[in-house]
Amino acid sequence: MRISLSRATAGGKWHLRPDGMPKVTGSLTYLTDMKQEGMLYGLILRSPHPHAWILSIRTEAAERLPGVHAVITHRDVPGLNLFGIAMPDQPVLCEDRVRYIGDAVAAVAAESEAIAQEAIRLIEVVYEPLPVLASPEQALADHAPKLHPAGNVLHRTNYKKGSVDDAFAQCAVVIEDTYYTPRQMHGYMETEGGLFVPEEGGKLTVYAPTQHGFKDRMQLSRILAIPESDIRVVSSPIGGSFGGKDELNVQPFGALLALKSGKTVKLHYTRWESVRAGLKRHPMAITMRTGADQNGKLIAHQVRIVADTGAYATLGAPVLNFATEHAMGPYRIPHIDIEGTSVYTNNGVSGEFRGFGGNQSVFAMESQMNRLAAALHMDPWDIRQVNLRHRDDLGPLGQRIVETDGAGQVWRAIQSSPIWQRKEQAPAIRNLQESKLSMKPFKFAIPDPSAPLQSEVSAPWIRRGIGAAMTMHGSGLGFGIPDPAGGCISLNAEGKIEAAFGYEEFGQGLLATLEILVMQHFGCTTQDLHLVIGDTAKVPHSGSTTASRATSMMWQSLQKIGPALRLKLLEAASKLTAISIEQLVTGPGGIWLKEELDSVKEDSSSTTATSIFRPVITYLDIAASGIQDLVCNIEFHYPTTPDAIFGGHFLYTYAGVAVEVEVNLLTGRVKVIDQYHAVAAGPVVNPMGYLGQLEGGSSMALGFTLSEDAVMENGHYLTRNLDTYLMPTLLDTPRGFELEAIEDLPEGDIYGPRGVGEVGTVAIAPAVTAAIHAAIGRFATKLPVSPQWIIDDITFMQGGDEYD
Amino acid sequence: MAIGYHQLPNATRVWQPADLRMAWELRQQYGEESCYISGGTLLRTQWESGLLVMSTNLISLDRISELQGVTWEKQSSHTGVLRIGAWTSLSACRKHPMLMEHVPTLSDACRQIAAPSIRNLGTIGGNIVSGIGDALPLLLAMDAVLIWYDGKGTVHQPIEDWLAQRRRMDASLSDHDNQRILMEVNIPLKNNKDVQDQSIMYFYKVGRREAFVPSLVTVAASCTCKKDGTLHNVRLTAAGGAAIATRLNIAEKLLEGKAPDAALFIRAHEAIWREWDAPGDVFGSSDYRKKVAANLLIAELWKLKRS
């Protein structure tokens, strides 16, 4: 039976997030809201040129301005003047060359923002502009200037299986096209910023959002040439990240200015600066040639991916690895040939972004599937069934992966979804795919409650279409990349069960998920908990909050250490109360007699039971008893495939989505009016968080599909603020939303809940373009879908009868 | 080079004159060092983007009673004038009972300008004097009249003339024009009681998303369709992006007094496409804007005729 996940169906599992109220009322203090008496304001001078030599930098006039306490350039970087999570190649402060308009050349700290602005104006930099490499094509051309010592190719990937050349000859149909994806911006509400506090003895405390505090600490230590132990990074709460704050942003400047001035420094980017300097999703051009036999069985698949990684590396190489691994979808294809190239250009830096390269590849792959189906006059979902991976198949790169039936589960869920069924019942939509487009009125087989004004629907220029797509999505960092996990739980001095993890709360609901998990292990309430995250001084190494891994890793950690701490608590209680362990159980407020807690649970409405029965000893009493070692730690590695295939994943989440769109042939505007998501990711820990990830992820993907693109021209952004870079509003979001969370895992599965942080963003784009195809008979290959493209070859009043 | 030779920019002063005369005099006194401000929502974006430097004297119009309020002036049993004070916020325009009664299309148009928080501050006057406000094509189709204060008294100017002036001067008006204060916009209304006639007042804005978005194309139309199917008093206007709102005279003439069939609609469509010189940019080409304007306007007339 189909059960959609919602507040109503979640029932008692619906758990209000602890940070919800302070966030919606605005009372929560984000790190960028922090202030300190006497603090200085930091500002950064950035390059006006996408590519230039720096001939000279003069800061004397700025230094002399009253109220200026520090001016820094490359000369003030004591350690490594480079950063980058995977490969440090981005200068903190440029010395002799700038490679994009976000490059930093100098920074100042002053007593007011106005003084800092004036000081920035007083810094004189002489540049000699260089030719701008504004696209991967230009950067790969012969004689293109080298942006980095090794040239303009950051990374290449190559995966081959079978013999593609011979196989194409056997195909009944071959589809070939190039797909283009936009430079999407994360668009977090809180722009990059932080407070940097110099401490005694040359130490430093950093209050700045990041997805991995320990990684920031490591990078800062390298730049500042001070030991990691001298740096404390406080990194939560975060006003949104989506991958965009994993890499360093303000931290090196804040740290250098604070240490040089000896005063607390605050930095907080304006939206303009965030657009200019911040990361974006990799724009990719993906050429695919895919062949199938007459029954739709895939035979050969050739892919060439070209990614614009911008001026510096950050995570450009792993993103390309991921795009490569996901470029063949959840399908069995005997002959495969994939090559990817990630290219340096003088554009904005591309890096980590929710979906991590999968969104681009899956848009191309799923579009190919829809086009093969159209060419073979097959149902687009049937062709997927013919090719769907089996539960015990190897992973996309031939690596062993954890066995699940996720692909089949998702396929069946979409097949039986109301939207897809509606499509089956409305053959008119399917006929349109073949018939030449005319302006005849389009009537629907069944009424749709989510339909807008009836008059609009019956207008001859409004067309509807239904489409669907699916994906598999790896979680964790992949084989060969250090991917530590772990955590610590204890009974602290205040009598709270303390859970400390090195993860971050950036809005995804991590704190609520952690509360739920700990409560499940101890049967306690939120009152008994103390959660510690986002502070390198207080948390263990748990790895990065990225790659859809945090929920999974917290669950696995607690599976390993939850029972051990429970036992320690029971032993302590037994010792203090002289009641045998067998009779005791952890519960709300402390340790209970099993049978008494059971009666309270059985009859929670009975005031007698709840008033008479109490814990035999409270957590606070145990904490006060002086019994030591009520603490359990664990460190382990994220589960990886045993096969040495670099970057290959082991745990996958599967997802599919069906959408219905409405296309206005007068304006070319596309509106998604309904969506149905199916996700196979194991048990749902936190229904609100799960639903939120899918709702938010799908809105983000709608932007990717229909409106968002950070447009660059010759190395300069044309969309420099949120008035031209357009993220969806509530009115752009479909009224219909349904999510089917498929929780079944194969018997004996030991990995528990998989991550859902990214997968909801992946399959929307190809589902929407398939629906547009159903409505107007053409497949879009470039995102965001251009309204102009929609109406390009529609002549007004074509098929004029209706207008007489 | 002496230490401290560099001075920080002066702080901005905000003036709040109590009447038009005082506002005018402040503007005379400070000249280029001053700027009128009402809601300030557009100015703010221009300061932020570096298009304008914030004036050192901001002359706020918020205390001037002559710029406030909405009134309905009945002139005969069939005609009247709706007078909207320039300082009326876009939110107020959207919800004002008189606008909802007499010009519901204008209320609706105001709903499509920016976002709620901006509409609470932004004024109808600011939307007009910006020269690119979303309300302009509709006000043009309504034959609105602008009432200015020019230091001596009030001046009435049809909005069409003012827009033509704007276009000629390429958005840089003379000092005198820049110093005038828009007091109100007047909308003449005919209360046509002939039930046989179908009238429309149409407004449609196309952006790159559904709300809080700059316009790519905004069109407006007003027209009466007699029971014999003939169209009368046809007003077709278009704007969008950097385009100043304009009437589409050729298409209007083609349709005026006619009962269009498909062939005439197609000719009118082509006329709009040819006549409107829509500027293009990276977010929408000229061709796209022209085609959309023609599509929307002719489709609306087709709907009118069919109904």
Side-chain angles (χ1 to χ4, degrees), chain A residues 22-36:
Chain A
K23 279 184 172 168
V24 297
T25 55
S27 66
L28 188 129
T29 302
Y30 286 94
L31 301 173
T32 49
D33 292 328
M34 292 173 67
K35 284 179 181 166
Q36 221 178 58

Side-chain angles (χ1 to χ4, degrees), chain A residues 118 272 667 724 727 791, chain B residues 6 48 208-210 288 291:
Chain A
E118 196 53 24
W272 296 75
T667 61
T724 48
M727 297 188 289
I791 62 169
Chain B
H6 210 93
E48 215 182 285
R208 290 185 292 130
R209 68 179 169 201
E210 296 293 318
Y288 172 75
K291 190 169 179 176

Side-chain angles (χ1 to χ4, degrees), chain A residues 68-127:
Chain A
V68 171
H69 288 249
V71 179
I72 55 169
T73 67
H74 64 93
R75 291 181 285 264
D76 298 285
V77 182
L80 180 72
N81 185 17
L82 292 169
F83 67 99
I85 294 177
M87 187 173 101
D89 68 353
Q90 177 163 2
V92 173
L93 289 156
C94 296
E95 182 176 354
D96 55 357
R97 190 179 182 187
V98 288
R99 295 179 183 82
Y100 87 116
I101 44 100
D103 257 334
V105 178
V108 303
E111 286 164 15
S112 72
E113 274 184 277
I115 296 172
Q117 275 165 6
E118 196 53 24
I120 286 285
R121 271 194 285 277
L122 291 174
I123 298 171
E124 300 161 57
V125 186
V126 180
Y127 296 95

Side-chain angles (χ1 to χ4, degrees), chain B residues 235-288:
Chain B
R235 293 278 185 283
L236 303 175
T237 66
I244 293 178
T246 185
R247 285 207 17 209
L248 302 161
N249 294 304
I250 299 174
E252 286 178 3
K253 279 196 193 99
L254 264 176
L255 294 164
E256 185 67 38
K258 310 267 175 46
D261 57 6
L264 184 59
F265 276 138
I266 287 169
R267 279 181 65 206
H269 186 278
E270 196 187 329
I272 293 169
W273 197 87
R274 287 185 186 283
E275 182 179 4
W276 188 37
D277 183 21
D281 63 21
V282 66
F283 307 116
S285 70
S286 172
D287 266 9
Y288 172 75

